[in-house]
Amino acid sequence: MAYYGKCIETVIEKLDKFTPKRDNPEQFLQAVAISLQALSPQTQSFVSEVLSGCLEYRKLLTVVVDAFYMEDGRLCLRVDHSRFMVICYLATFLLEELGFQLFCNIIKSQPVDKMCKFLRFFFNPLHLCSWIKDEWSLIYEPAHVKENWLDPLMRWQPKVQELINHLEGMSASQSSPLKTKAKVTKSKEFNLTAPRPRTIPAPEPVPVVAKPRPVPQSTYQPPKEQQQLEMVKRHNRRKAEELLLRANIEELRCAMPRSCGEPVQGSKQQLRLQFPPRIRKTPKLTFYRPDNVPVKLNTTAILREGALYQRQVEQELQRVDKLVDGAGDFSEFLEWQKKMQAKDREEQLATSECRRLQGKLSHEEAVLARQSLMQENKQRVEQQKEQMAKLMLQHAETRLREDRSRKQLVEQVIEGQKNVKAAQTKLAKGRRQTVQEVIEESRGLLRRRAQAAQEEQRRRCELISQLRALETQPTRKGKLVDLTQTPGYGLEGEMSIVELRERLALLKENQRRKEEEKRDQIIQGKRTKSQELQNTVEQISLCRAAMGRSAALRWEEKKALAAAPEAPSQDERVQQLRRRISERAAERSRQAALLHVSAPRAAGPKPRAQLEAQHWLKLERSRERRLQALQQGGSGPGPARRLEAA
C-alpha cells in the first residue's frame, strides 16, 4: 500500500502545479515525463496515464468534486481538491482495468475519513442517476455517458458500499481509545395533544362585482400638450437654422466698416427666439442703444458703473483744479502718442503681410517636397513588388511539402482508429447485460426512499399545523394612558403631556412674532436699497448720454482720417518674400510637367492642388479685409464700441 500511496502522491503533486489558463496540457505532460525519468518504468507509465486522464476529463471530474465541497465536504480542505479528482478518475475510468482489490489497496493508502466521505457521496445511486448524469450529459453524449461510465459505477456500487463500511469500522476502531466515557443524552418525544378535527366551513357567497367602466380612448392617444411642444420645438429649430445660415452668409461682415446711413441687416430683437422672461428680485435698468437693442443691468452692474462714473467725475474735477492752479497741458504728449501709434500700426501691417507670405511660401515648398516624395515612392513600390513575387514562390513550395506530410499522418491515424472501434464494440456488448440489473436495483432503492420521505413530510406538516394553531390564540395588547397625569419620577422640570403641549404652543407664537418683525425690517431695507439704486440709475443715464455724444465726435474724426488712401507697403522683407514665392511657383509648375500630372475632370471630385489653391485664395481675401479694417481704425461704430471708447 505504501507503493500505491507514493504513486498517488506523485500524481497529486504534479496535478497541483498545472494551471489551465497558463499551461498547455501536451507540453505539461512532456515536462512531467522528463522529470519522472528517475523512477521505474512501471511507475512512470502509471503516473503518466493517471495524470493525462485527469487533464483530459478535467471538466467531468471538476463537476463531481465541486459538488462534494458544496454538500458533504464543507469541512474538508481545498488542498485535497486534486486528491479527490484522482480518486474520482480511478473509480470512473480505471476500476475495471485495475481490479477491485487493487482499487481497495489504493483507497486504504489515503486518509480513511476523507475517502469515506467522498466515496459515500460519489457512489450514492441518487446522485449518479440524477444530477451527475445530467451534468455529464451536457458535456458528452447522454448515451455514451450512460453506457460507458454510469452503468459500470452502478454495477460496482454494492462492493464499494462494503468497502465504505469497512473503512468506517477502521476509523471507529482508531478513534475509540480517544473517546471518554460519558453519559449519553437521550431525547424524549414531545407529549403533544391530538388536535380536534376541524369543521368544514360553509362556502362563502360569491360577491357580485359592478360592471367596470370602459377604458377611455384618451388613454391610448398621446396628449395634446406633447404635440404642441413638438410643434414649438420644430418652429424654434427652423428659426435657429435660419439664423445659422444667415450668420454663415454674413461671416466677417462685422469686421468691415459701415457708414452712418447704412441700415442694419437684422435687428437682434427680431432674431431672438421666443423664450419666457426671467423673474428677478432686484430692479432692472434698461438702456436703448441707437439700434433699439435693450441692455438690462443687474444690481451689481449698476453699482459698479455708478462707482466708475463717480471716480471719473472726481478725476475730471481734480484735473480742472490743477489747470486753474497753473499746471501744464498734455496736448503735445497726445500728438506724439498719435504719431507713435500710426508707426506701430504700419509695423503691424508689414508683419502680418510677412506672415501671410511666409505661409504661402511654406505651402509652395510643401508641394515641391510632396512631388519628390511621390517619385521616390514609385521606385520603392517597384522594388517591393519584385521581392513579394520571390517570397510567394518560396511560400508555395513550402505549402506543397507540408500538405504531403499531413496526408501521410492522416492515413496512419485512420488505420489506428479502425482497430480501436472493433475493441470498443466487443466491450460494449458485455456491459449491456449488467446495466439492466443495476437499473432495476436502483429503481427499487429510489422507490423505498421516496416513500420514507413522504411519510416524514406528512408528520412534519402535522406538527407545523399544531404549532400554528397555538400561535394564533388572541392576546390582549395595549395600555391606557392619562395625558394630564405627571410621570412621578421626582424630577424638577417634570410635567404632563398636556402642559408640555401648551408650552410648545406659546414658544411657537413667540417665534412667529419675532419672524414677522424681522421680515418687516428686511422689507424696509430693500425699499431703501431700491431707492438708492434708482438714483444711481438716473446718474448713469446722464453720464452715458454725455459720453455717447463725445464718442460720436471722435468716430467722425477717425472716419475722416481713414478715408484718405494709403500707399502700399514698401518693406524689403515683403518684397523679398514675394520674389521667393514666384520662384517656387515656377519650379513647382516645371516639376508638375515632368511628372505628367493629368488635369481633373469637370464632373469628378476636385484634385488636392485645386482645393489647396482655393483655400489659400479664401485666406488671402479674409486677410485683405482685416488689413483694410485695421487701416481704417478698427470695426464699425457700434453702440458697444462707442461705450468702450467713452
Side-chain angles (χ1 to χ4, degrees):
M1 286 190 286
Y3 170 75
Y4 297 116
K6 291 181 181 179
C7 294
I8 296 299
E9 292 296 333
T10 305
V11 175
I12 293 169
E13 181 183 357
K14 300 299 182 183
L15 191 59
D16 288 336
K17 295 180 181 179
F18 178 74
T19 305
K21 296 181 180 179
R22 185 185 61 189
D23 299 334
N24 188 7
E26 296 179 358
Q27 297 178 358
F28 181 75
L29 290 174
Q30 292 177 2
V32 170
I34 294 171
S35 63
L36 295 176
Q37 291 179 357
L39 301 177
S40 61
Q42 184 178 1
T43 306
Q44 290 181 13
S45 62
F46 179 76
V47 173
S48 300
E49 182 179 358
V50 175
L51 185 60
S52 62
C54 291
L55 294 179
E56 182 178 359
Y57 298 102
R58 186 179 181 85
K59 292 183 179 180
L60 296 179
L61 304 177
T62 305
V63 169
V64 178
V65 177
D66 290 346
F68 169 70
Y69 273 106
M70 291 295 293
E71 293 185 11
D72 296 346
R74 295 176 182 175
L75 302 179
C76 296
L77 300 176
R78 284 286 176 179
V79 181
D80 297 326
H81 191 277
S82 300
R83 186 185 307 277
F84 294 135
M85 287 182 65
V86 173
I87 298 301
C88 184
Y89 174 74
L90 293 176
T92 307
F93 299 96
L94 298 181
L95 183 56
E96 294 185 358
E97 183 178 351
L98 295 174
F100 187 73
Q101 186 62 36
L102 184 57
F103 179 74
C104 292
N105 294 335
I106 293 173
I107 294 299
K108 291 177 182 178
S109 65
Q110 303 300 316
V112 178
D113 54 347
K114 297 178 182 178
M115 294 296 105
C116 284
K117 289 183 180 179
F118 182 73
L119 291 177
R120 190 185 303 109
F121 172 80
F122 182 53
F123 281 92
N124 190 348
L126 288 174
H127 296 169
L128 290 174
C129 297
S130 58
W131 62 268
I132 291 179
K133 180 181 178 181
D134 297 338
E135 292 293 334
W136 285 4
S137 298
L138 295 175
I139 303 173
Y140 292 93
E141 291 293 332
H144 180 75
V145 170
K146 183 177 182 303
E147 182 179 355
N148 296 330
W149 297 331
L150 293 179
D151 293 345
L153 290 174
M154 293 296 295
R155 189 171 63 254
W156 287 104
Q157 197 271 339
K159 293 186 177 181
V160 174
Q161 187 64 36
E162 295 177 0
L163 176 62
I164 293 170
N165 296 333
H166 178 66
L167 293 175
E168 288 178 351
M170 292 175 59
S171 62
S173 62
Q174 292 176 2
S175 60
S176 60
L178 299 177
K179 294 182 180 179
T180 58
K181 294 181 180 180
K183 188 177 180 180
V184 180
T185 303
K186 295 182 179 180
S187 59
K188 294 183 180 180
E189 295 184 358
F190 290 103
N191 188 11
L192 300 175
T193 305
R196 295 179 181 177
R198 296 183 179 180
T199 58
I200 299 174
E204 296 180 359
V206 179
V208 179
V209 183
K211 186 177 180 181
R213 295 182 180 179
V215 180
Q217 293 296 329
S218 60
T219 305
Y220 306 104
Q221 297 177 358
K224 295 181 179 179
E225 290 77 3
Q226 187 175 1
Q227 297 178 0
Q228 293 176 359
L229 287 174
E230 292 295 334
M231 291 176 62
V232 172
K233 285 182 181 179
R234 288 196 297 270
H235 182 67
N236 290 342
R237 182 174 181 82
R238 194 180 301 110
K239 281 190 176 182
E241 290 176 354
E242 292 176 359
L243 289 175
L244 179 61
L245 180 61
R246 188 176 299 175
N248 292 333
I249 294 172
E250 299 177 358
E251 187 178 7
L252 299 178
R253 185 168 293 182
C254 62
M256 299 297 293
R258 186 173 68 249
S259 61
C260 296
E262 183 180 355
V264 183
Q265 293 293 332
S267 177
K268 293 183 180 179
Q269 189 173 5
Q270 298 175 357
L271 300 179
R272 187 180 298 125
L273 295 176
Q274 298 297 329
F275 292 107
R278 297 176 62 186
I279 300 174
R280 297 178 181 270
K281 294 183 179 180
T282 55
K284 301 297 179 198
L285 174 62
T286 303
F287 291 100
Y288 289 93
R289 298 182 179 179
D291 52 355
N292 296 327
V293 179
V295 179
K296 295 183 179 180
L297 301 177
N298 54 12
T299 305
T300 307
I302 292 170
L303 295 176
R304 188 188 297 115
E305 195 167 357
L308 175 64
Y309 290 148
Q310 186 66 26
R311 286 197 302 271
Q312 291 178 359
V313 170
E314 292 177 357
Q315 291 175 3
E316 187 67 21
L317 292 175
Q318 291 177 3
R319 189 177 68 82
V320 171
D321 292 340
K322 289 180 181 179
L323 289 174
V324 170
D325 293 339
D329 195 2
F330 293 96
S331 59
E332 296 179 358
F333 172 75
L334 293 175
E335 292 178 359
W336 174 82
Q337 188 178 16
K338 289 181 181 179
K339 292 180 181 179
M340 297 303 295
Q341 288 177 354
K343 187 176 180 181
D344 292 340
R345 193 180 299 108
E346 293 177 358
E347 184 67 23
Q348 184 180 4
L349 292 173
T351 305
S352 62
E353 184 67 18
C354 289
R355 289 177 183 173
R356 186 184 67 80
L357 294 175
Q358 286 175 359
K360 196 169 183 180
L361 178 62
S362 63
H363 170 67
E364 296 290 341
E365 292 177 352
V367 172
L368 287 174
R370 191 183 300 111
Q371 292 176 354
S372 61
L373 183 62
M374 288 170 60
Q375 191 171 2
E376 293 178 0
N377 289 338
K378 287 181 180 179
Q379 297 176 359
R380 291 178 184 175
V381 167
E382 293 176 357
Q383 295 177 0
Q384 289 181 357
K385 285 182 179 179
E386 295 177 357
Q387 295 177 359
M388 185 61 68
K390 294 179 181 179
L391 292 174
M392 291 296 291
L393 291 174
Q394 295 177 1
H395 182 66
E397 293 176 358
T398 55
R399 286 292 297 275
L400 289 173
R401 289 195 296 269
E402 290 177 357
D403 292 340
R404 291 172 186 172
S405 61
R406 287 173 185 165
K407 289 180 180 178
Q408 294 176 0
L409 290 174
V410 168
E411 292 175 356
Q412 295 175 2
V413 171
I414 290 171
E415 291 178 359
Q417 288 180 353
K418 290 179 180 178
N419 298 329
V420 172
K421 288 181 179 179
Q424 287 180 353
T425 53
K426 291 180 181 179
L427 184 62
K429 290 179 181 179
R431 292 177 178 176
R432 288 173 185 171
Q433 297 177 359
T434 58
V435 169
Q436 299 296 331
E437 299 175 359
V438 176
I439 289 173
E440 293 177 357
E441 294 177 0
S442 62
R443 286 177 181 174
L445 291 172
L446 289 173
R447 194 180 302 109
R448 290 193 294 272
R449 292 196 178 184
Q451 292 175 359
Q454 290 178 0
E455 185 66 24
E456 182 68 19
Q457 183 68 19
R458 185 183 61 77
R459 189 176 62 82
R460 288 180 180 177
C461 290
E462 291 178 357
L463 293 175
I464 290 169
S465 63
Q466 294 172 6
L467 293 174
R468 286 181 178 174
L470 293 174
E471 290 177 355
T472 54
Q473 291 180 357
T475 56
R476 292 184 179 180
K477 296 181 180 179
K479 185 179 179 182
L480 297 175
V481 179
D482 188 6
L483 300 179
T484 60
Q485 184 180 1
T486 57
Y489 295 125
L491 301 176
E492 293 182 358
E494 193 173 8
M495 65 183 72
S496 63
I497 295 176
V498 175
E499 186 180 356
L500 180 62
R501 289 176 179 174
E502 291 178 357
R503 292 195 179 188
L504 287 174
L506 293 174
L507 288 174
K508 288 181 180 179
E509 184 66 24
N510 294 333
Q511 187 176 2
R512 186 181 61 79
R513 192 182 302 108
K514 290 180 181 179
E515 289 178 355
E516 289 179 357
E517 293 176 357
K518 191 173 182 180
R519 189 179 295 108
D520 295 338
Q521 294 177 2
I522 292 171
I523 292 171
Q524 188 64 26
K526 286 185 177 180
R527 287 177 181 174
T528 56
K529 187 176 180 181
S530 177
Q531 186 63 31
E532 292 177 358
L533 287 175
Q534 192 66 26
N535 297 334
T536 308
V537 165
E538 293 176 358
Q539 184 180 359
I540 289 172
S541 60
L542 293 175
C543 294
R544 282 192 173 184
M547 297 180 75
R549 289 192 294 272
S550 61
L553 293 175
R554 286 197 299 271
W555 170 252
E556 293 295 336
E557 294 177 359
K558 192 179 293 184
K559 185 179 178 182
L561 292 174
E566 294 185 4
S569 177
Q570 300 296 330
D571 199 327
E572 295 180 358
R573 296 178 297 172
V574 176
Q575 295 178 0
Q576 185 178 2
L577 287 172
R578 287 176 178 171
R579 286 196 299 271
R580 291 178 63 184
I581 289 170
S582 61
E583 293 175 359
R584 292 292 187 276
E587 186 176 357
R588 178 169 61 83
S589 61
R590 289 194 300 272
Q591 191 72 16
L594 292 174
L595 291 174
H596 302 286
V597 178
S598 62
R601 297 180 179 178
K606 294 183 179 180
R608 186 180 181 87
Q610 188 174 358
L611 292 174
E612 291 178 352
Q614 292 180 359
H615 174 66
W616 283 104
L617 183 61
K618 291 180 180 178
L619 289 178
E620 287 180 1
R621 291 177 180 175
S622 64
R623 288 195 182 97
E624 289 175 359
R625 288 198 297 268
R626 292 178 185 176
L627 290 174
Q628 186 178 1
L630 288 173
Q631 291 175 0
Q632 293 179 359
S635 63
R641 297 276 184 177
R642 293 176 183 176
L643 290 175
E644 290 175 1

